[in-house]
């Protein structure tokens, strides 16, 4: 569980996060949604320790990040898996080397054991033929799956995903969403996803945090988002006719 | 304002140097990174260094020969001048300026590309000290830079000998006599001290510009250019300071 209490963050005098508090639950897919500039990415990067909030606390299962010493912070980071928007695969390494990288860096496992674990996670993300390929030789969807494999190879307690299905075709996007949800349940990890994609919200939004202008404007789950009268959420989520119709159909049922 | 910016950047550079040596990467991983950097930076530069050194050595010999018109000046001075020019300045300093372009732009663009594609963020999020992981192997690999400069010295003088002898400017014996004349072993020490300092600049200044760059592909190109300018300026500046300190007494 990740508990965020009243965090604030500014850049050049411009306050981006204005006192956000929430809880990201274990074993659930927690989504952060909101318009561009609403503070989603800053919140995600604050959770990852890339940005340091000016006030407030972030605690990982009771460990308050700002109170940890540098070694404890690095230790905590080994419990984190991250899927970046652009996959962020190391382009000089093969798929297998990318996936095995956290194991080579942080475990004392021998090559055979690392290889077995890499094979296992690549099979889990349905990529058994790509071991020796470079990231530039595989498709965007495959790169995302490799990034997910790399994020989970070290059995993380926390999984963060920044726009995991941006730039993917609808079928692949749904595959990626489902894969993240399955992995979250299977390994009982705390997953936080930053997304613009309303399909993801409807598919895997077990907990949704909606940000507007750096403030928490609404939170709930995918069932509640259909019923909410919150104007900001309705204006953002149901801005397209398609989603308006989906909502109407859901409410009629 | 501009001065404040430069001072801030210099401070940031020294903080980066400190961070490079913190939290070392596992040796089993680091070892491979060092070998890769030796291949990319040292072995990969051998061809261009050999080519430039050989021909510039030849040009130095020809220019010296063409300017020695007074029959009272002994011809062996062609060998002497070639040796002194190549060993003292051309090989350590001007090859380093060329390497600021070749190695420096490679280092800045590769680290800069990792920055814009979030690969550095990925390392940090995993708990890896990205500066140690990316820059430390380059510093260690460039400890072999004097080896490259040694080759440049040898080939420069060889080029001078070939141009002088086969161009009909000087006999082989006179050239060799000139290269051995008034030889001061400390000049070699001086050249290699310079080389090691330049190696450190070549590894760290381009890394600094790549690591702290912001933006996209266009900014990677700009960072490479800026890195080349500052590495060259630093090399020329340190060349002056070291020459004054080591030979100027």
């Amino acid at each position: 569980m990740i508990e965020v209490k009243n965090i604030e963050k500014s850049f050049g005098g411009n306050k981006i996060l204005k006192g956000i508090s929430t809880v990201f639950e274990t074993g659930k897919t927690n989504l952060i949604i909101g318009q561009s500039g609403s503070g989603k990415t800053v919140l995600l990067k604050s959770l990852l320790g890339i940005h340091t909030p000016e006030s407030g606390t972030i605690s990982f299962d009771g460990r308050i990040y700002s109170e940890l010493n540098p070694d404890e912070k690095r230790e905590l980071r080994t419990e984190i898996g991250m899927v970046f928007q652009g996959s962020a695969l190391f382009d000089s390494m093969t798929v297998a080397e990318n996936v095995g990288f956290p194991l080579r860096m942080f475990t004392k496992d021998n090559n055979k054991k690392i290889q077995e674990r890499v094979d296992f996670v690549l099979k889990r993300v349905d990529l058994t033929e790509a071991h020796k390929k470079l990231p530039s030789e595989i498709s965007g969807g495959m790169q995302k799956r490799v990034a997910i494999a790399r994020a989970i190879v070290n059995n993380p307690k926390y999984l963060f995903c920044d726009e995991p299905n941006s730039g993917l075709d609808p079928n692949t996007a749904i595959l990626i969403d489902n894969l993240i949800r399955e992995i979250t349940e299977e390994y009982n990890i705390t997953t936080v996803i930053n997304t613009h994609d309303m399909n993801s919200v409807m598919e895997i939004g077990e907990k949704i945090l909606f940000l507007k202008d750096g403030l928490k404007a609404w939170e709930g789950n995918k069932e509640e988002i259909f019923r909410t009268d919150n104007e900001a959420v309705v204006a953002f989520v149901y801005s397209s006719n398609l989603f308006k119709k989906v909502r109407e159909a859901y409410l009629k049922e | 304002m501009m001065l404040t910016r430069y001072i801030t950047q210099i401070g940031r550079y020294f903080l980066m140097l400190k961070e490079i040596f913190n939290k070392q990467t596992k040796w089993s991983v680091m070892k491979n990174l060092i070998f890769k950097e030796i291949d990319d930076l040292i072995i990969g530069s051998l061809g261009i260094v050999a080519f430039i050194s050989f021909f510039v050595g030849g040009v130095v010999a020809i220019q010296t020969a063409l300017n020695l018109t007074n029959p009272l000046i002994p011809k062996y001075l062609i060998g002497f001048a070639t040796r002194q020019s190549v060993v003292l300045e051309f090989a350590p300093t001007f090859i380093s300026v060329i390497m600021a372009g070749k190695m420096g732009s490679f280092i800045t663009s590769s680290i800069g590309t990792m920055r814009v594609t979030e690969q550095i963020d990925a390392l940090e999020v995993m708990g890896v000290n990205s500066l140690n992981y990316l820059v430390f192997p380059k510093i260690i690999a460039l400890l072999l830079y004097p080896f490259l400069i040694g080759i440049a010295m040898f080939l420069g003088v060889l080029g001078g000998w070939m141009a002088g002898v086969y161009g009909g400017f000087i006999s082989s014996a006179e050239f060799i006599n000139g290269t051995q004349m008034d030889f001061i072993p400390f000049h070699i020490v001086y050249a290699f001290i310079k080389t090691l300092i330049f190696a450190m600049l070549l590894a760290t200044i381009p890394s600094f510009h790549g690591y702290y760059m912001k933006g996209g592909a266009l900014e990677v190109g700009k960072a490479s250019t800026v890195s080349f300018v500052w590495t060259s300026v630093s090399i020329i500046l340190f060349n002056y300071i070291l020459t004054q300190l080591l030979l100027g007494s």
Side-chain angles (χ1 to χ4, degrees), chain A residues 151-170:
Chain A
I152 63 168
V153 74
N154 213 6
N155 290 321
K157 285 186 182 171
Y158 316 98
L159 177 64
F160 295 91
C161 308
D162 188 13
E163 306 274 359
N165 41 27
S166 69
L168 301 179
D169 64 79

Side-chain angles (χ1 to χ4, degrees), chain A residues 42-90:
Chain A
V42 176
L43 176 59
L44 193 76
K45 290 193 170 178
S46 300
L47 295 174
L48 288 163
I50 295 173
H51 293 327
T52 309
E54 282 117 31
S55 64
T57 58
I58 299 166
S59 67
F60 293 80
D61 293 308
R63 292 169 293 175
I64 298 173
Y65 189 79
S66 55
E67 291 176 4
L68 302 177
N69 66 40
D71 285 339
E72 287 169 335
K73 280 182 182 170
R74 286 197 192 280
E75 183 65 34
L76 173 63
R77 284 181 175 195
T78 62
E79 296 172 12
I80 291 174
M82 172 74 193
V83 179
F84 284 86
Q85 187 173 0
S87 300
L89 299 176
F90 303 122

Side-chain angles (χ1 to χ4, degrees), chain A residues 185-242:
Chain A
E185 284 170 12
E186 209 172 304
Y187 298 100
N188 196 35
I189 50 186
T190 309
T191 298
V192 181
I193 303 167
N194 183 359
T195 188
H196 272 114
D197 187 357
M198 288 308 119
N199 278 323
S200 299
V201 173
M202 309 296 180
E203 284 283 331
I204 60 168
E206 292 175 293
K207 154 102 194 240
I208 301 161
L209 170 68
F210 177 70
L211 298 185
K212 188 166 190 272
D213 301 328
L215 288 164
K216 180 172 84 176
W218 182 85
E219 68 182 336
N221 59 37
K222 62 182 176 186
E223 280 81 30
E224 289 165 343
I225 208 165
F226 283 114
R227 292 190 207 101
T228 184
D229 293 327
N230 183 303
E231 283 179 16
V233 175
V234 171
F236 177 70
V237 179
Y238 304 108
S239 54
S240 82
N241 285 332
L242 175 66

Side-chain angles (χ1 to χ4, degrees), chain B residues 165-199:
Chain B
V165 173
Y166 292 103
F169 298 103
I170 186 174
S171 73
S172 177
E174 276 178 313
F175 188 92
I176 291 168
N177 186 25
T179 59
Q180 293 172 343
M181 201 184 83
D182 288 340
F183 176 68
I184 302 169
F186 183 70
H187 283 177
I188 301 287
V189 176
Y190 154 79
F192 281 119
I193 289 173
K194 285 206 303 191
T195 302
L196 276 173
I197 304 284
F198 297 161

Side-chain angles (χ1 to χ4, degrees), chain A residues 77 101 104-107, chain B residues 23 26 119 124 126 133:
Chain A
R77 284 181 175 195
F101 182 80
R104 287 198 305 280
M105 290 299 288
F106 301 112
T107 68
Chain B
K23 182 79 172 56
K26 258 169 83 176
Q119 293 175 51
E124 285 293 322
M126 283 179 206
Y133 182 85

